[in-house]
Amino acid sequence: MSQKEFRYSGNPITKHSFESKLKVDVSVDKLFDWHNNPGAYERLTPPFDPVAVKYRRGNIDGGEVHIKLPPIAGVIPVPTWVAKHHSYKKNLQFMEDQSKGPFVGVLPFWNGSWQHQHLFKKLDKNSSLLTDKIYYDFPMDPFGSFLGGAYTKNRLKQMFAYRKNVTMNDLYAQSKYTGKPLEIAVTGGSGLIGSELIPYLTTAGHKVQKIVRCRPKKGELTWNIDEGTISNLEGKDAIVHLAGEPINKPLGGKIPLPWTKWKRKEILESRVNSTRLLSERLASLKKRPKVLVCASAIGYYGDNGDEMLSEDAENGTDYFSKVVREWEEAAKPAIDAGIRVVFLRLAPVMSPLGGALQVLSLPAMIGSSPPVAGGKQWWSWVGIDDAVGSVYHAIITDALSGPVNVASPNPVRQKKWASVLANVFWGKLGFLTTLLPVPGIILKTFLGEFGNVLALSSIRVDSTKLIDSGYKFRFEELEDCFRHVLGRRKLEN
């Protein structure tokens, strides 16, 4: 048979199983609602095993979701995972079976199974227990178990360590807000930060609409920066502005490219023109939002050697410093209209799906994580979850305004950054990957001005303003952050 049907008087009989437990300091109602709200699946999907939702019908109370899995080794296609939800009991449980996918196929010999039980238990009025149980059989046993048993068990351990961290920290951060659900519009919602921010906001119970440049889907807003048009934003509580031409689109996701004349123009104009349009439109509204949160960058400061940089530090003199200054200045109409504006000066965001880590993780994985130009330059950094968390913190913290540095309180020198990444992949042998340094002249030759932004500038920022406003970093240490987003935690057997 192609699929095993389960009866829930007891646990299914399978050859393999996995269990994870998490105690959280919120009521069982809040814990269950978090999983029931839109975006929970996306929040729980780790960046080291990225998947995409192709189609969704209904919710966890009887719906199904079709999930596109990444190809094996980047080339071998994997069948779409179709998960059917059932056995929904509010505040107690919901379950899902794989009806099609890697474990369950249409051919008679492809007769594995996969069931995931999500079980909720009230401990007291302010705490609850989440138990995840997975029961599975490999197709084509015993060959399936032999080929995939150890790999699957390790992936489950890493995945649920990731899920527990996200669930616990999201619920903690979201519990700080006790007001009514907010109406929020977001630009750049498909980017690295935006694609994580939107599910973060919807799991917290807020209503979120993307502002898109392409043809809008149902529930989306639209704008045309060249024509100066934008959908009606009247009545929105908050606007998050993340849109802008990426400073780099690596070839194949891994090879950085130098800036062309067109690229430099787009980097500047996409940020300045969009921010100006948005700010002018918000200023003209009768019912304005309470807050406009704008992405910015620590590139504002430029190369400053060993100096610790607060938000009061001077603007740099290079091209990208100029970009960031004009980017922030474009929000003046909103500030003049009395809207609270927060400029999040983000450090490079750590995620294998974008930025420096996307470019440098593959070389480190295959044995090359060298110091660059001596490696003494300071690299400030921030984990993707803290980048997202800082946006939400800016939305709900009325006392926060103006420029805010968003970076771990523990910046590192580039040489240290490279060695930590090497150790995460290679353990005690990691030092071997750092023995052949890369001269700075090579980066300047191949990447030009972008080489300075990517690796050569020394920018060491102080996040005291953010911390003093009440933000608690999830990842203060680089190794902890790497292990989280790369699925390389040290786990007990």
Side-chain angles (χ1 to χ4, degrees):
M1 60 181 176
S2 64
Q3 178 185 1
K4 291 188 176 181
E5 299 291 334
F6 296 98
R7 297 293 180 264
Y8 298 102
S9 56
N11 294 325
I13 299 174
T14 59
K15 187 175 292 185
H16 305 276
S17 64
F18 177 85
E19 182 173 311
S20 171
K21 291 180 180 289
L22 173 66
K23 179 182 178 295
V24 290
D25 294 328
V26 299
S27 68
V28 71
D29 305 71
K30 290 184 178 179
L31 177 62
F32 193 88
D33 285 347
W34 189 90
H35 285 81
N36 200 22
N37 285 337
Y41 182 84
E42 287 80 359
R43 279 301 291 155
L44 293 173
T45 299
F48 52 86
D49 276 335
V51 300
V53 175
K54 294 175 59 177
Y55 166 79
R56 180 183 277 113
R57 179 183 62 80
N59 210 325
I60 61 174
D61 57 348
E64 69 178 40
V65 59
H66 294 226
I67 303 160
K68 182 179 180 181
L69 302 173
I72 298 172
V75 293
I76 303 174
V78 179
T80 297
W81 185 305
V82 179
K84 292 189 175 182
H85 294 96
H86 58 90
S87 302
Y88 175 96
K89 295 181 180 179
K90 184 171 174 58
N91 294 343
L92 289 176
Q93 68 178 38
F94 68 93
M95 302 183 187
E96 64 192 65
D97 294 346
Q98 182 183 132
S99 60
K100 294 180 182 178
F103 286 80
V104 181
V106 296
L107 299 176
F109 60 83
W110 209 263
N111 58 347
S113 64
W114 180 281
Q115 181 198 111
H116 186 173
Q117 301 181 0
H118 309 255
L119 309 175
F120 301 79
K121 181 179 180 181
K122 176 181 178 180
L123 299 180
D124 57 46
K125 66 177 183 178
N126 292 317
S127 64
S128 51
L129 179 69
L130 170 65
T131 302
D132 287 277
K133 293 182 178 181
I134 296 178
Y135 298 91
Y136 59 101
D137 280 324
F138 288 97
M140 299 177 61
D141 250 0
F143 302 106
S145 294
F146 175 76
L147 295 173
Y151 173 82
T152 301
K153 183 71 75 173
N154 179 64
R155 286 293 84 188
L156 285 172
K157 287 180 178 180
Q158 292 291 346
M159 178 178 292
F160 277 89
Y162 177 91
R163 291 170 68 121
K164 288 162 73 171
N165 184 286
V166 168
T167 303
M168 180 174 62
N169 283 295
D170 279 15
L171 285 166
Y172 167 78
Q174 293 167 2
S175 69
K176 293 184 176 182
Y177 178 77
T178 57
K180 69 176 182 65
L182 301 174
E183 292 200 17
I184 303 169
V186 178
T187 74
S190 60
L192 180 63
I193 297 175
S195 59
E196 288 292 333
L197 174 66
I198 290 175
Y200 179 98
L201 295 173
T202 55
T203 53
H206 304 298
K207 180 181 178 181
V208 183
Q209 289 182 286
K210 286 184 181 180
I211 305 175
V212 300
R213 291 186 292 176
C214 56
R215 189 172 185 176
K217 299 177 182 177
K218 183 179 180 181
E220 292 181 340
L221 305 172
T222 186
W223 64 344
N224 187 310
I225 300 169
D226 295 332
E227 296 179 3
T229 60
I230 189 169
S231 296
N232 184 15
L233 298 174
E234 197 83 41
K236 293 287 184 278
D237 296 298
I239 309 294
V240 179
H241 179 35
L242 304 173
E245 175 70 17
I247 64 170
N248 188 46
K249 290 182 179 178
L251 184 64
K254 299 297 181 183
I255 303 174
L257 299 172
W259 286 341
T260 62
K261 185 177 180 180
W262 176 90
K263 182 74 171 181
R264 293 171 91 256
K265 180 175 178 287
E266 282 298 301
I267 288 172
L268 174 65
E269 293 185 356
S270 66
R271 286 163 170 76
V272 174
N273 294 346
S274 64
T275 304
R276 183 180 296 116
L277 170 62
L278 191 58
S279 298
E280 290 175 349
R281 183 56 56 90
L282 296 178
S284 71
L285 299 176
K286 291 181 179 179
K287 188 177 181 182
R288 302 176 185 122
K290 293 181 179 179
V291 60
L292 168 62
V293 179
C294 289
S296 183
I298 63 169
Y300 174 90
Y301 307 109
D303 188 354
N304 273 272
D306 292 338
E307 183 180 354
M308 182 67 81
L309 304 165
S310 72
E311 290 80 0
D312 296 327
E314 292 184 1
N315 184 220
T317 59
D318 60 37
Y319 160 76
F320 194 65
S321 299
K322 174 189 173 185
V323 168
V324 180
R325 185 186 74 246
E326 293 189 23
W327 187 7
E328 293 184 359
E329 289 174 348
K332 190 174 186 298
I335 297 173
D336 292 344
I339 299 171
R340 179 171 65 90
V341 178
V342 185
F343 302 105
L344 296 179
R345 289 180 179 168
L346 292 154
V349 177
M350 297 297 103
S351 168
L353 302 181
L357 189 57
Q358 180 188 35
V359 172
L360 298 174
S361 60
L362 179 60
M365 190 185 304
I366 62 178
S368 177
S369 187
V372 175
K376 293 183 179 179
Q377 63 272 35
W378 286 98
W379 277 18
S380 293
W381 60 274
V382 65
I384 179 64
D385 287 328
D386 281 313
V388 169
S390 67
V391 175
Y392 188 61
H393 180 76
I395 292 172
I396 67 174
T397 306
D398 293 339
L400 198 60
S401 64
V404 179
N405 291 336
V406 181
S408 160
N410 296 308
V412 296
R413 296 189 187 273
Q414 189 276 329
K415 184 176 182 179
K416 176 70 172 178
W417 192 98
S419 67
V420 170
L421 182 60
N423 290 337
V424 166
F425 281 118
W426 292 93
K428 293 180 180 180
L429 296 178
F431 76 96
L432 294 174
T433 73
T434 67
L435 296 180
L436 295 175
V438 175
I441 190 64
I442 292 181
L443 251 64
K444 289 183 179 180
T445 300
F446 284 97
L447 296 179
E449 193 173 28
F450 177 55
N452 289 326
V453 175
L454 177 67
L456 302 180
S457 293
S458 183
I459 307 177
R460 184 187 183 197
V461 302
D462 180 1
S463 293
T464 297
K465 180 177 179 179
L466 179 61
I467 295 169
D468 286 351
S469 71
Y471 186 75
K472 180 181 178 182
F473 276 89
R474 301 188 187 193
F475 296 100
E476 296 187 355
E477 300 299 332
L478 187 62
E479 182 175 345
D480 294 338
C481 179
F482 281 165
R483 292 192 180 281
H484 176 69
V485 299
L486 295 172
R488 296 275 175 165
R489 278 185 171 86
K490 296 178 179 178
L491 300 173
E492 297 180 2
N493 293 326

